[in-house]
Amino acid sequence: MKRLIAVVLAIALICVPIAMGAPASSSALEKKIADAPYQIWPAKARSNSPDYVRAAIKQRNAQGDNCKVVLGTSEFRWVYPDTVSSHPANFFGNNNYGMDTFLLGQPYCQDLWHAIEVGALSEDIPDDKVVFFCGITWFMDYQNPAKCFRLSFSPEAYADLMANPKVTDETKAKIQEKMIAYGVEEAEVYGGEAKSENLVERINSGIQEFFDDSKNWDAVLSDEEDDWNAPERELNRSRPVPEGRTAGQAQAPDWDAWLAQEKAEGADQTSSNEMGIYNSWYENGGYDSWRDGWDEWLTFTDEPYQETEFEDFELFLDVCEETGIEPLVVLMPLKGAMIDQTDYTPEVRALWYDRMKAICEKRGVAYVDYSPYEYDPYFLYDMAHFGWTGWVQVNRDIYEFFMGKEGQK
Amino acid sequence: MRKLADKIAEIFFSDTWAGALLWFVAAAALLALLVWFLVYSGFGEPAAPVYENF
């Protein structure tokens, strides 16, 4: 009997602290991330892995990055500091402003992808706040929201959204209906719900999960797995977080100095044309190809914008509201000098801006409207992506949203 | 030395609280070894770090 007591006490001594500490202890993935902090812009396999995103945010913040979640799409594609030094990966990464951005999202990630992402990650989003970059092109008639969703869909994020008790059954059902309408198999949408485990099965799977090291993170951590962004292009690869990024005392950005610097940088980088299009694309014939082909796709028949994308935007706001996440919606503009000649005239574009603003106002959601900057030559570096002065303005909105106007947080 | 080993073995197999203490130490040590091997040893992990190429 005494021996039995001794053995039971020994088991308790070893197992209880492990069981209690297991959720908080570093997983194998966290250890890998901690050893090599990187991923300024997590590519597809990483963006689509909520486990990766949680571990990366946790590790980066543990190392003093104070990174905040910023949701968007291709505008996050990294550019060299000597091309657009105000890109947030350069702006926050190369300076100690007391915070950094966690840029989440890739090409094809539109409203529904982001709704699922917030539902999956809501408990792990710092400050319960996100900045959400919403693009007018997602809504245009040429766009294919169903295809975009199928190309970007993350089963792991969907499973985590469905397991989030804060998201109501009604919202989950709406998301499921949309997924099916967009071509995701019903078995995949409803498959997880049929699986219910009894107590013994749950204990078995819990123990298996605890000791399972078969989950190989190599694919998730490797740029080679990325089928969204060709890995052979250096700009598409993940970037190391700059060394010494948190060194010294955090400073508040000098916005006026940044704006002056970026006007000069923009003028230099767009010297080949009057429209503010970056030199290499313009000089290599990119603009000419775009101009020759726009009338085939930048056009519409009945309605200029697709209703389904507005519904998805509302679903994104629903998930934010239910999970207690406060969004700041960034309405991304288009370059007027390029788009005015298409069917999307200033009046047609105003329909989208006005409707998006009305939705935000009705729901009490903060937004920033950059439509007044459509004719600022250095605001966007091509048709739809922020450039020199544009990023300064957006960085300021990001910074003040998270840090306050004085940067005191 | 031999005497000490005999003494420990005697206590270990006796029905006393000192014997139970030795059982406790032995069981805890074996369990700690098992947990270290399964959780912390890194047995079975890939040989090269995956982020080597970044």
Side-chain angles (χ1 to χ4, degrees), chain A residues 97-130:
Chain A
Y97 291 142
M99 64 161 281
D100 202 346
T101 48
F102 195 93
L103 303 172
L104 190 54
Q106 291 281 328
Y108 304 122
C109 293
Q110 299 192 175
D111 290 287
L112 190 59
W113 187 91
H114 288 291
I116 292 172
E117 199 69 5
V118 169
L121 295 170
S122 69
E123 298 307 296
D124 304 281
I125 292 175
D127 301 348
D128 296 330
K129 286 169 136 187
V130 293

Side-chain angles (χ1 to χ4, degrees), chain A residues 41 68-77 86-89 92 99 101-115 118 129-139 309 313 316-317 320 326-333 352 356 360 365-370 379-380 384-387 389-399 401-402:
Chain A
W41 183 37
K68 313 293 186 185
V69 175
V70 180
L71 303 169
T73 172
S74 57
E75 64 281 354
F76 294 159
R77 186 188 306 280
S86 53
H87 185 284
F92 291 108
M99 64 161 281
T101 48
F102 195 93
L103 303 172
L104 190 54
Q106 291 281 328
Y108 304 122
C109 293
Q110 299 192 175
D111 290 287
L112 190 59
W113 187 91
H114 288 291
V118 169
K129 286 169 136 187
V130 293
V131 174
F132 177 51
F133 284 61
C134 195
I136 184 172
T137 55
W138 305 354
F139 297 70
E309 199 61 37
F313 177 60
F316 170 81
L317 297 180
C320 286
E326 180 188 349
L328 172 67
V329 177
V330 174
L331 300 177
M332 292 193 282
W352 183 80
M356 293 296 283
C360 291
V365 168
Y367 64 87
V368 277
D369 170 22
Y370 285 117
F379 204 82
L380 303 167
H385 297 103
F386 287 111
T389 55
W391 275 125
V392 175
Q393 304 271 19
V394 178
N395 290 340
R396 183 168 192 167
D397 285 318
I398 293 172
Y399 180 84
F401 180 62
F402 287 113

Side-chain angles (χ1 to χ4, degrees), chain B residues 11-23:
Chain B
I11 295 171
F12 188 80
F13 292 111
S14 68
D15 186 21
T16 62
W17 284 111
L21 180 67
L22 288 183
W23 274 78

Side-chain angles (χ1 to χ4, degrees), chain A residues 49-237:
Chain A
S49 167
D51 284 342
Y52 166 78
V53 173
R54 284 189 197 97
I57 291 173
K58 186 176 167 188
Q59 286 303 323
R60 284 189 58 181
N61 284 349
Q63 294 175 23
D65 269 351
N66 193 24
C67 59
K68 313 293 186 185
V69 175
V70 180
L71 303 169
T73 172
S74 57
E75 64 281 354
F76 294 159
R77 186 188 306 280
W78 186 69
V79 285
Y80 292 112
D82 58 0
T83 308
V84 184
S85 55
S86 53
H87 185 284
N90 300 324
F91 183 92
F92 291 108
N94 295 338
N95 298 282
N96 184 2
Y97 291 142
M99 64 161 281
D100 202 346
T101 48
F102 195 93
L103 303 172
L104 190 54
Q106 291 281 328
Y108 304 122
C109 293
Q110 299 192 175
D111 290 287
L112 190 59
W113 187 91
H114 288 291
I116 292 172
E117 199 69 5
V118 169
L121 295 170
S122 69
E123 298 307 296
D124 304 281
I125 292 175
D127 301 348
D128 296 330
K129 286 169 136 187
V130 293
V131 174
F132 177 51
F133 284 61
C134 195
I136 184 172
T137 55
W138 305 354
F139 297 70
M140 287 177 160
D141 201 36
Y142 80 86
Q143 192 57 277
N144 186 339
K147 186 181 170 192
C148 288
F149 184 75
R150 288 197 305 275
L151 286 169
S152 60
F153 172 55
S154 161
E156 291 171 52
Y158 169 62
D160 285 3
L161 161 95
M162 294 304 288
N164 188 339
K166 287 186 175 174
V167 182
T168 62
D169 290 344
E170 187 189 349
T171 300
K172 286 174 182 170
K174 283 183 188 170
I175 288 172
Q176 288 176 319
E177 282 170 24
K178 272 309 186 78
M179 288 168 60
I180 289 167
Y182 287 165
V184 180
E185 294 289 328
E186 282 196 33
E188 188 157 17
V189 175
Y190 296 118
E193 290 180 1
K195 197 173 68 180
S196 66
E197 295 177 326
N198 63 32
L199 181 65
V200 175
E201 284 168 339
R202 271 194 227 170
I203 292 170
N204 274 344
S205 56
I207 290 171
Q208 272 179 359
E209 203 172 300
F210 185 82
F211 290 115
D212 180 19
D213 59 0
S214 64
K215 171 83 175 173
N216 190 333
W217 289 100
D218 293 11
V220 174
L221 292 172
S222 166
D223 279 334
E224 306 306 322
E225 290 295 313
D226 193 343
D227 60 356
W228 280 342
N229 299 300
E232 60 274 15
R233 279 195 68 201
E234 195 198 346
L235 278 174
N236 287 340
R237 300 186 74 94

Side-chain angles (χ1 to χ4, degrees), chain B residues 34-48:
Chain B
L34 183 68
V35 167
W36 169 82
F37 177 74
L38 291 172
V39 181
Y40 299 106
S41 72
F43 180 80
E45 282 184 10

